[in-house]
Amino acid sequence: MSNTAVAVRPAFRCLRCTFHLCSTSVPLQRLRSLVTTASTQAETSLQSSASSPPPDSNIVSTPRPERPLDPRLVSTPKQERRLIQSGVQPIGSRRRRAALGSLANIPFERLPYQCFQEARKVLRADREDKLRQIEVQRQRIAKAQALDPAQCGGEFSKKGKVLGMQKYLEELKILADINDPVIKKRFEDGQGKHLGSDPMQNLDTAYKSPIGDMNRPIYRYLADRKWREYRRKLIVQRVTQMSVVPDLLPHLDPVAEVKLAFRRRNVQPGDFVDSRVSEIVPKLDVQVFDKGERFVSIVVVDPDVPNLETDGFDNRCHFLATNVSISPAATSLPLSRLSKDTQVLLPWLPPFAQKGSPYHRMAVFVLQHQEGATLDVPLLQKKLKRDGFSLRNFITAHKVKPIGVYMFRSQWDEGTADVMQRAGIEGAHLELRRKRVEPLPYKKKDGARYR
């Protein structure tokens, strides 16, 4: 290495370090060592400080109000949490909400996706084929109904054949719409639901599941399938785990969805309800999934009434009403609005549990009458009694069928004594205590046998 390179190396290192320092940490505006005027950034800061008014302690900055969230368009988890905290549930799936938010106000069936539109053509052709089959099946049913029973092997055989053909017709109606994306969208959004003028018809918009017009077979089928996915399993698990079945009935197969609410409070299956809340007459919502109007009876039974004489438990009926009309579209049953002369057999008795007794299971049963049959209310009002009520005997005597069940629990709380006093129930001052189990007398054995 030459002497010139050895002499230049320290100077080169110094220049390289100086250049690196200037390029990384020192802005170019500050490298004005040969200029006596202020930099552009300094001039800008001075002008802004001079033009800005002095701070005033009386001026309070108000935060900007948050924009209301649209439940049809929220697509992020943070927005969904904010919306749920405000008491509104998002509508539909997150993917569909994101797609609707990214597009203009285009109808769902006109979304500009080629694959989607081609699939709709295939589904439309399949639906037209199903409609032709429905028309053919209707003609066959009309011919079968016009036949003489002697030609079909008797009246019973003719009736069974017609019922089988009608069942297949209902299946064709469902298959015609089961793959329609517009039907599925309306079902998820709850659009097209048949609503009456009764303001108490819906227990709560957030409490009810999104369904469509229940007068159409496809919406009844989708609602039934959605109910059986979770909610039916939940109520069956509750009544089985808490031994409502078989304590009151030996077997139960629910085919109708039952919901219960006390004013604005929606009760979940098996919940403990405060005695001051359950003092109010509840509202029921009974959703059946087959077409037609029918009469039902509503029974509320408490199977945990202590019997001190027998050291066991008896049944007590807290409410009984009959000849109540329901249909797939008319589901609301406010028990306080039922007629006391033609429907209510035993008025509402507030649930209560005496101090020291275990919690009481309050079971709500919906019993369907035979087709077109009603019960004689004046006669039953004379015969029925609250204490010692037997649900099994009632079902057998009047030939009714249990189609729905619900339950909640009641226990002694700070308001039970006042509720019992207002209802005219005696025994609020009594406290039940369990008997002490005396140990068996110890018999001292002879020690000589162990020697």
Side-chain angles (χ1 to χ4, degrees):
M1 182 179 295
S2 61
N3 296 331
T4 306
V6 174
V8 172
R9 180 182 295 177
F12 179 74
R13 288 179 179 176
C14 183
L15 291 175
R16 185 173 58 182
C17 294
T18 304
F19 177 77
H20 177 70
L21 180 63
C22 294
S23 61
T24 55
S25 60
V26 182
L28 295 177
Q29 289 83 353
R30 297 182 183 179
L31 299 179
R32 299 171 61 88
S33 57
L34 301 179
V35 182
T36 58
T37 59
S39 63
T40 306
Q41 183 178 5
E43 293 175 359
T44 306
S45 63
L46 290 174
Q47 292 178 3
S48 61
S49 62
S51 60
S52 60
D56 190 358
S57 60
N58 297 328
I59 299 177
V60 179
S61 60
T62 58
R64 294 183 180 179
E66 297 181 353
R67 294 183 179 180
L69 297 175
D70 191 350
R72 298 170 299 176
L73 302 179
V74 292
S75 58
T76 62
K78 183 178 180 180
Q79 293 177 343
E80 291 178 358
R81 287 193 296 268
R82 284 177 51 196
L83 189 66
I84 293 174
Q85 289 175 359
S86 65
V88 182
Q89 294 290 334
I91 298 176
S93 62
R94 183 183 298 172
R95 179 181 299 178
R96 189 179 66 82
R97 285 185 262 114
L100 293 178
S102 61
L103 297 173
N105 294 327
I106 301 176
F108 179 75
E109 59 272 11
R110 298 181 183 178
L111 291 178
Y113 302 125
Q114 183 178 1
C115 182
F116 177 75
Q117 297 299 334
E118 293 296 329
R120 279 183 54 82
K121 292 180 181 178
V122 176
L123 297 177
R124 193 179 299 112
D126 179 74
R127 187 176 189 275
E128 293 175 356
D129 180 56
K130 292 297 187 297
L131 293 178
R132 286 192 295 268
Q133 295 182 26
I134 290 173
E135 189 63 30
V136 172
Q137 188 67 14
R138 285 176 176 171
Q139 295 176 2
R140 292 178 180 175
I141 293 175
K143 290 181 181 180
Q145 292 176 344
L147 289 176
D148 188 10
Q151 299 178 359
C152 303
E155 185 68 27
F156 184 77
S157 177
K158 175 184 175 181
K159 185 177 180 180
K161 182 179 180 180
V162 172
L163 289 177
M165 297 174 69
Q166 291 177 348
K167 182 178 180 181
Y168 180 64
L169 177 62
E170 295 299 322
E171 293 178 359
L172 288 177
K173 292 179 181 179
I174 294 173
L175 293 176
D177 295 328
I178 190 62
N179 296 317
D180 191 348
V182 178
I183 293 290
K184 294 184 177 181
K185 175 183 178 297
R186 290 176 180 173
F187 175 75
E188 292 181 357
D189 296 349
Q191 298 175 357
K193 179 172 174 56
H194 180 79
L195 296 177
S197 58
D198 188 357
M200 297 182 66
Q201 184 170 359
N202 292 331
L203 297 180
D204 194 352
T205 54
Y207 181 57
K208 294 184 68 63
S209 58
I211 54 179
D213 185 4
M214 297 301 288
N215 289 319
R216 297 184 60 180
I218 181 61
Y219 288 114
R220 293 198 299 268
Y221 172 79
L222 293 175
D224 185 23
R225 186 175 66 177
K226 187 176 183 63
W227 172 61
R228 291 178 181 272
E229 287 178 357
Y230 176 73
R231 294 194 296 271
R232 183 184 182 275
K233 296 178 181 179
L234 178 63
I235 187 61
V236 170
Q237 186 266 347
R238 291 291 189 270
V239 298
T240 305
Q241 182 185 31
M242 299 182 186
S243 300
V244 174
V245 176
D247 286 355
L248 291 174
L249 288 179
H251 175 71
L252 181 63
D253 181 21
V255 295
E257 183 179 12
V258 182
K259 297 176 182 177
L260 183 139
F262 292 96
R263 288 184 178 174
R264 291 290 181 179
R265 178 181 176 182
N266 303 313
V267 180
Q268 299 299 323
D271 273 0
F272 284 100
V273 181
D274 191 277
S275 59
R276 291 163 294 188
V277 176
S278 60
E279 183 181 10
I280 307 165
V281 183
K283 297 178 290 184
L284 291 183
D285 187 273
V286 182
Q287 179 66 67
V288 292
F289 303 104
D290 53 341
K291 67 176 182 179
E293 187 176 356
R294 74 290 313 271
F295 290 104
V296 297
S297 295
I298 311 297
V299 185
V300 182
V301 186
D302 178 7
D304 300 321
V305 181
N307 190 334
L308 303 181
E309 297 179 358
T310 62
D311 195 17
F313 296 94
D314 292 338
N315 298 339
R316 180 194 296 124
C317 183
H318 283 252
F319 182 82
L320 178 55
T322 186
N323 301 336
V324 181
S325 176
I326 61 172
S327 66
T331 62
S332 178
L333 293 179
L335 302 185
S336 60
R337 295 190 177 186
L338 299 180
S339 175
K340 297 181 180 179
D341 299 329
T342 60
Q343 292 179 322
V344 178
L345 299 176
L346 296 175
W348 178 256
L349 179 67
F352 64 93
Q354 287 182 307
K355 189 175 183 180
S357 65
Y359 64 80
H360 289 214
R361 300 164 295 172
M362 306 300 300
V364 183
F365 290 93
V366 180
L367 311 176
Q368 181 175 332
H369 299 184
Q370 291 183 345
E371 186 175 358
T374 57
L375 303 184
D376 190 356
V377 175
L379 181 61
L380 291 176
Q381 286 178 344
K382 299 177 181 179
K383 292 183 177 181
L384 291 176
K385 296 181 180 179
R386 291 188 184 273
D387 296 332
F389 178 82
S390 177
L391 182 62
R392 303 187 186 190
N393 294 340
F394 183 84
I395 292 175
T396 304
H398 302 288
K399 298 180 181 180
V400 292
K401 177 184 177 182
I403 61 173
V405 64
Y406 209 79
M407 71 160 297
F408 63 95
R409 289 180 286 178
S410 178
Q411 62 182 354
W412 173 270
D413 52 44
E414 58 184 5
T416 304
D418 296 335
V419 171
M420 294 176 65
Q421 184 179 3
R422 287 192 292 268
I425 303 172
E426 299 179 356
H429 62 284
L430 299 178
E431 180 178 358
L432 302 179
R433 295 182 179 180
R434 295 182 180 271
K435 290 184 178 180
R436 180 182 177 184
V437 180
E438 298 292 340
L440 295 176
Y442 177 73
K443 183 178 180 181
K444 186 175 181 180
K445 297 181 180 180
D446 186 13
R449 60 188 295 185
Y450 298 105
R451 293 177 183 173

